[in-house]
Amino acid sequence: MFGIVRPCTHRLTDGLKTEWMAHLCGLCLALRADHGQFARVVTNYDGLIVSVLTEAQTGVTEAGRRKAGPCALRAMRTAPVARGEGARLAAAVSLVLASAKVRDHVADRDGLLARRPVAAAARRVARSWDKAGARTGRDLGFDTAVLVDAVDRQTGIEALAGPGTSLLAVTEPTETATAAAFAHTAVLAGRPGNAAPLAEAGRLFGRLAHLLDAVEDQAADTATGAWNPLTATGTSREEARRLADDALHGIRLALKDAEFADGKLAHVLLAHELRTSVDRAFGTTSCSHGTPGAGQGPVPGNPYAGPHGPVPGNPYGGDNPYGGGGPYGGGGPMGPGGPMGPGGLPPQFGGGAPQAPKPRGFLAGCAMFTWLFCTCQICCAKKYEGPWSRKKREGCCYDCDCGDGGCSGCDCGDCGCDCCCCPCDGC
């Protein structure tokens, strides 16, 4: 279950948590119903947003829900799940984009895919997913060729990109694909006036997805020599953050221009949770209710921090012989940036920068997904390792404790909404 919008269920109200799970399960079951059991491996958090947007425009109807039987990922409980054209469109989009991801892994000769027989089998799977997604898309009046064309152009654009190339030129194919998918939800919902603002929201969402993936993978890509858009174009993380913040603002403006029957969940995912995703990728925090993060002001109770910077005489200030932060922190000789590495240990004793685990190949990832799926870790584990990326994930049903009252990253105060979308005081 990959994707950039991974809301902690502790931050969602009970009603929104139920709705979110209904769309997640609805996407999974739509894949099974139309394309078979194996297709369920492409279930992802971002794909369900297509289903959410469709229902946000039509409102929840009796025909749009059904009761699903017990499932291991729901701790063997029944639940209402989304069904209908929105879930099927989400399934078609997920299949085509997953097919593109498989072809990309084959082209890069990742893991087992470096072997010809395995690569040939993966190509057959990708072709079958392309055809299945196109078949469902035709049933819904959506031409998936725009997605395939965007993916095919991506390889050529990356081959030509170099220092000085605009990062937005690299993200354009992803933007085009997501814009088309978001806009078609307006067609399915019978609200043609929403097509333009939702296309804009989709374009910026695609930009964010590409940017955050590049930011999160940059260190691992550098270590393995893999291509990364930030490194290839010479784009700084500061510029990437500026583009991400601009995209967040643009998505909020686009959502305000669209008409929804019940847009609360869509707003929470695309306005609030996207902000959390950006902060997570860049290692910052923006919640005014929780503990300040980097650049967010002094920590309450710090006797050496003033409202505008270090207090004069602070023994751990920026002019002490160990650098800022303390005798073993900051950029001093004993700190993480110094020659001794984190904790003051020399590199040969583990003091060097931690190495990110190498991603698994396609088939190895599928095997690990099957194991995680059958042992319910994807649903119930506090933390598990992503089957393909090997990044740390949280079980989608795990009732986590965010550590600050459940409002971490809620960012309630800066979009002017009164959606009461999260349990922060004053939202």
Side-chain angles (χ1 to χ4, degrees), residues 34-56:
D34 287 349
H35 312 293
Q37 287 282 2
F38 184 67
R40 299 170 80 178
V41 301
V42 308
T43 302
N44 66 93
Y45 294 126
D46 292 346
L48 69 87
I49 292 177
V50 173
S51 178
V52 170
L53 283 174
T54 304
E55 188 173 87

Side-chain angles (χ1 to χ4, degrees), residues 151-213:
V151 171
D152 289 343
R153 286 190 293 109
Q154 187 72 53
T155 304
I157 290 174
E158 290 180 359
L160 297 174
T165 302
S166 170
L167 187 59
L168 298 186
V170 179
T171 63
E172 181 273 324
T174 308
E175 295 177 21
T176 300
T178 50
F182 275 42
H184 197 71
T185 64
V187 176
L188 297 181
R191 290 181 180 263
N194 284 347
L198 290 183
E200 177 68 4
R203 183 178 67 82
L204 295 174
F205 181 85
R207 178 181 300 178
L208 265 180
H210 205 132
L211 280 174
L212 299 191
D213 184 64

